Amino acid sequence: FSFFEGKPARPHHIAANLPAERPRWQQEITDSIKDFDVTIIKSASGQGKSTLAWKTAQQMMNRAGFSVFELQELRREGIQDVVRFLESRLKCGYLPLIIIDGLNEQVRDWSDLAIRAQKLQGVKFLVTTREEDWFRYGTNVARLNLKPINIDLSEEEARQIFHLFQKSGHLHTSLNTWQPAW
């Protein structure tokens, strides 16, 4: 129920096949992961950053053989330990895709990890952030092979998602139009 209340998507929401497909954005993110070491999904709150990140991660896991890891906390003194972990995963044949779902104080040193991980062929990062948090925690990125993707929820996408959720019975009965939510 938390997914339909507008809470950020989590992996179990994706596994339950709850989110609506957003093929344009999912393809752009997938292409970026293939071509860049770091993909940044930026937008205002409520635009679907987390949903797109986790949905794309699921696709990359199923289609391209990536192993998905979420980084929730990182301290500068722990960067080397994470690098060693990533090296061990690569030696075991894994293709690590590191998800950082929301830049914040807990992962403020993420870019230092990404810089060091560039030396490890095959490690990819997928980061979601609000614009204001990008200005706080998106520093030290000049040396990264990075692509920012600024997503938005178009009027047409909002209408389609509303009707999909309406048909599946996941909207409150008092909601009969998509415009207020959009």
Side-chain angles (χ1 to χ4, degrees), residues 1-4 7-22 26 29 41 48-63 68 70 97 99 101 126 128 165:
F1 292 111
S2 65
F3 179 80
F4 295 106
K7 305 285 191 261
R10 298 297 304 147
H12 64 273
H13 296 130
I14 306 308
N17 204 27
L18 296 179
E21 295 291 326
R22 296 179 72 187
Q26 288 170 225
I29 295 164
I41 303 172
K49 296 178 297 291
S50 295
T51 300
L52 285 167
W54 290 113
K55 185 75 174 166
T56 303
Q58 179 189 45
Q59 290 174 342
M60 298 301 288
M61 188 174 64
N62 293 340
R63 295 182 188 159
V68 178
E70 183 178 15
L97 174 60
I99 304 275
D101 191 12
L126 181 56
T128 68
F165 287 167

Side-chain angles (χ1 to χ4, degrees), residues 42-88:
K42 291 194 308 184
S43 74
S45 294
Q47 298 295 303
K49 296 178 297 291
S50 295
T51 300
L52 285 167
W54 290 113
K55 185 75 174 166
T56 303
Q58 179 189 45
Q59 290 174 342
M60 298 301 288
M61 188 174 64
N62 293 340
R63 295 182 188 159
F66 277 88
S67 295
V68 178
F69 301 95
E70 183 178 15
L71 184 65
Q72 296 179 342
E73 186 175 335
L74 178 68
R75 304 210 186 280
R76 183 169 304 281
E77 60 273 10
I79 291 174
Q80 186 56 40
D81 293 331
V82 177
V83 169
R84 278 191 222 110
F85 171 77
L86 294 172
E87 287 172 332
S88 73

Side-chain angles (χ1 to χ4, degrees), residues 88-151:
S88 73
R89 299 298 88 198
L90 288 165
K91 287 178 182 174
C92 292
Y94 293 94
L95 293 171
L97 174 60
I98 312 301
I99 304 275
I100 302 173
D101 191 12
L103 289 182
N104 59 45
E105 183 65 28
Q106 306 297 342
V107 290
R108 74 173 309 128
D109 296 318
W110 75 273
S111 60
D112 294 333
L113 171 62
I115 289 168
R116 293 184 59 190
Q118 282 184 137
K119 296 173 184 142
L120 309 174
Q121 296 298 326
V123 176
K124 304 288 185 162
F125 287 81
L126 181 56
V127 180
T128 68
T129 183
R130 298 178 307 162
E131 194 71 38
E132 59 268 26
D133 291 330
W134 179 248
F135 287 110
R136 285 186 199 118
Y137 306 111
T139 59
N140 197 23
V141 296
R143 296 179 6 206
L144 289 172
N145 177 23
L146 174 144
K147 180 177 181 182
I149 298 175
N150 297 302
I151 67 162

Side-chain angles (χ1 to χ4, degrees), residues 28-39 124 145-147:
E28 187 170 342
I29 295 164
T30 298
D31 291 345
S32 177
I33 291 170
K34 291 175 185 172
D35 296 337
F36 294 87
D37 295 328
V38 179
T39 299
K124 304 288 185 162
N145 177 23
L146 174 144
K147 180 177 181 182

